[in-house]
Amino acid sequence: MSQHLPPQAGNLRTEVLKVVGNDFGKFRENDGLEKVGEWEVSQSQSAKALQEAANYLRTKDIPVAFPTETVYGLGADATRSPAVKGIYSAKGRPSDNPLIIHVADLDMLRTILRPATEKDVAPNGSHDQIPDIYKPLIERFWPGPLTILMPNPSPSQLAPQVTAGLQTYGVRMPASPLARSLIKLVGSPLAAPSANASTKPSPTTAAHVLEDLDGRIELILDGGPCPVGVESTVVDGLCDPPVVLRPGGVSIDELRECPGWEKVEKAYKDHSEAGKAAPRAPGMKYKHYSPKAQVILYEATCPALHKGVDQQDLELKDNTSNIVGVIRTRCWQPGGGLLCGDFTVQERLVAPVESINQVDVELEVRDADLLKSPDGAPVGKILDVSIGKDSRSIAHGLFSALRELDRRDADVIFVEGTLDDEDIGAAVMNRLRKAASRIRS
């Protein structure tokens, strides 16, 4: 593999390393908050396969892609500036967009909560640096898809590029045992945004990562598809009342069930906030999750939603090369109500695979001739994907469907929105609104 060189598009050899098995480690037995206090890496072959990647992350400045329960992350040692800069370079990410760090256990979190001048000093047990407001959340949702904002001590152990100049940083403990063991073996928290090129849909499989970052990084750990499919929820409990900065895998209703979080408020917008001050959390300022194709989103509240795609939204080229994508959820018929011929199943987006998460992606692409009139000649084709009717299925399949229709050169993608309730549906619609070129409501 290459030496300490900044990744340049196309000049690195990217290796995909399949990681099999599910025996990566366990938490040392304990109660309450301390049930996630210390992660112990197993001596299994599954865990040993991660050692090469951990050594690489300790010594190189090029990030490594790895699976979590949400999406694939692009990880680098969060304490080393050259390594963190490698993330921004590989993704083409704006430098004022902060990064979330990932820890293996509470021991690691408590270490980075101390100033750099005290990092080698054992805690005396008299004062826990974890703010009390977060303890109910940690006890209920960690490890899992929840990121909490923490105060950054001075001097900080984290590379300054992680926080993008902010006085806080986001941290979470991933549910994936593979991810936790990798972090533990590195011995430092990993800064890890989604492992996609900036503004592209987030990757939920190793193939998605390779599609975006082939030649930009050297190592992708393939642990199978991600079970959640959207990124973590980001919350700030350092203000009163506490707020949700980004919707994700934990709903606002679930948060409100926790002591101290009964009055949590929404503090995010469903569009990019470019031109504003530095974002408090990833995903707030810039347009994210966007495919190359034009995306037209039909909100669940659109009065004519049940009728499908409005023909006036269909702008056809004067030839037969039109490619129209349709992503369906609860109501639309195949093709979104557009005039078309009979559908045939082309292929699955991702074939069922044996993975550490035991998650299969069951989406199919179906195609049919696109017609301008019932008895007219074809003017192109429709690519139709149903991503399910419940919010979890929709979240799991959304990014895969957007990527696949983009890969098939769709000119436009019509998306049937889901209910914007305050479970994971809020996260799905937040991502879709950021991806959309036009919104029908």
Side-chain angles (χ1 to χ4, degrees):
M1 292 185 178
S2 304
Q3 298 302 312
H4 298 252
L5 298 174
Q8 302 293 330
N11 75 346
L12 299 178
R13 179 178 173 272
T14 303
E15 175 187 358
V16 179
L17 177 63
K18 184 72 176 177
V19 183
V20 296
N22 53 20
D23 181 14
F24 293 100
K26 63 180 181 179
F27 284 107
R28 184 184 292 272
E29 289 189 19
N30 219 320
D31 298 323
L33 198 68
E34 298 311 311
K35 69 182 181 181
V36 293
E38 183 180 357
W39 178 255
E40 299 175 323
V41 180
S42 77
Q43 298 301 310
S44 69
Q45 289 302 118
S46 299
K48 288 178 181 177
L50 300 177
Q51 190 62 62
E52 178 186 355
N55 291 338
Y56 184 92
L57 284 162
R58 280 196 297 267
T59 59
K60 300 291 184 73
D61 298 335
I62 300 172
V64 171
F66 65 97
T68 75
E69 78 281 13
T70 55
V71 299
Y72 271 70
L74 188 62
D77 183 343
T79 67
R80 297 194 300 111
S81 285
V84 176
K85 287 178 181 177
I87 293 176
Y88 287 97
S89 179
K91 284 178 62 74
R93 182 183 177 95
S95 60
D96 66 343
N97 201 5
L99 300 172
I100 291 171
I101 67 168
H102 297 64
V103 295
D105 49 33
L106 291 187
D107 283 356
M108 184 175 286
L109 174 61
R110 289 179 172 122
T111 297
I112 61 171
L113 283 171
R114 299 199 297 271
T117 51
E118 301 176 15
K119 69 176 182 177
D120 297 323
V121 179
N124 59 21
S126 62
H127 176 62
D128 191 351
Q129 298 280 4
I130 299 174
D132 289 341
I133 186 68
Y134 289 128
K135 291 179 179 178
L137 301 189
I138 291 172
E139 191 165 348
R140 176 168 176 181
F141 299 115
W142 276 17
L146 179 71
T147 295
I148 59 179
L149 247 60
M150 286 290 197
N152 195 24
S154 180
S156 175
Q157 298 178 53
L158 299 176
Q161 294 79 13
V162 169
T163 61
L166 299 176
Q167 300 302 308
T168 57
Y169 60 87
V171 59
R172 82 179 189 96
M173 187 187 298
S176 164
L178 183 159
R180 291 198 301 275
S181 288
L182 176 65
I183 297 164
K184 191 73 171 184
L185 288 168
V186 173
S188 297
L190 294 184
S194 55
N196 56 315
S198 191
T199 77
K200 296 299 181 182
S202 294
T204 56
T205 68
H208 294 163
V209 180
L210 187 64
E211 182 180 313
D212 276 10
L213 301 182
D214 189 13
R216 292 178 176 266
I217 61 175
E218 292 184 315
L219 184 59
I220 300 170
L221 298 178
D222 182 0
C226 304
V228 176
V230 294
E231 298 90 343
S232 61
T233 301
V234 181
V235 298
D236 182 357
L238 304 178
C239 56
D240 187 19
V243 295
V244 176
L245 297 178
R246 183 181 75 182
V250 174
S251 74
I252 196 168
D253 285 339
E254 290 174 309
L255 292 170
R256 286 172 176 156
E257 294 172 359
C258 297
W261 292 81
E262 295 87 352
K263 296 181 180 180
V264 62
E265 297 179 353
K266 168 184 167 180
Y268 60 87
K269 296 182 180 179
D270 289 325
H271 55 79
S272 63
E273 300 179 46
K276 308 280 180 161
R280 292 162 67 186
M284 295 185 72
K285 183 171 182 180
Y286 296 97
K287 182 172 175 128
H288 282 47
Y289 322 110
S290 183
K292 293 178 294 184
Q294 181 186 30
V295 175
I296 299 178
L297 170 64
Y298 282 68
E299 295 271 5
T301 56
C302 179
L305 177 75
H306 65 283
K307 296 180 181 179
V309 177
D310 189 327
Q311 293 285 342
Q312 294 182 349
D313 286 335
L314 187 61
E315 300 173 359
L316 299 176
K317 296 177 285 190
D318 293 330
N319 53 44
T320 60
S321 65
N322 298 280
I323 303 177
V324 175
V326 174
I327 297 177
R328 297 183 288 116
T329 57
R330 291 183 168 92
C331 299
W332 284 2
Q333 296 300 309
L338 294 172
L339 290 172
C340 59
D342 294 333
F343 279 96
T344 59
V345 176
Q346 268 197 353
E347 62 179 289
R348 294 184 184 276
L349 294 187
V350 180
V353 295
E354 181 181 349
S355 76
I356 61 169
N357 298 314
Q358 298 301 308
V359 175
D360 294 341
V361 179
E362 297 288 352
L363 304 180
E364 291 179 336
V365 179
R366 306 198 300 170
D367 74 345
D369 288 335
L370 175 65
L371 307 176
K372 201 168 184 178
S373 61
D375 55 354
V379 293
K381 65 179 178 180
I382 291 179
L383 300 173
D384 177 90
V385 184
S386 171
I387 57 175
K389 295 186 177 183
D390 65 275
S391 295
R392 295 282 168 182
S393 298
I394 294 167
H396 189 195
L398 172 62
F399 290 138
S400 290
L402 286 172
R403 279 185 170 273
E404 185 65 14
L405 295 181
D406 222 24
R407 188 180 71 81
R408 294 168 184 262
D409 297 321
D411 302 303
V412 61
I413 301 173
F414 294 101
V415 183
E416 178 192 358
T418 186
L419 296 173
D420 193 5
D421 46 24
E422 294 185 329
D423 67 354
I424 200 170
V428 170
M429 291 307 296
N430 173 262
R431 307 312 191 263
L432 281 173
R433 290 170 185 137
K434 286 177 180 288
S437 307
R438 278 189 279 164
I439 297 176
R440 294 288 301 268
S441 58

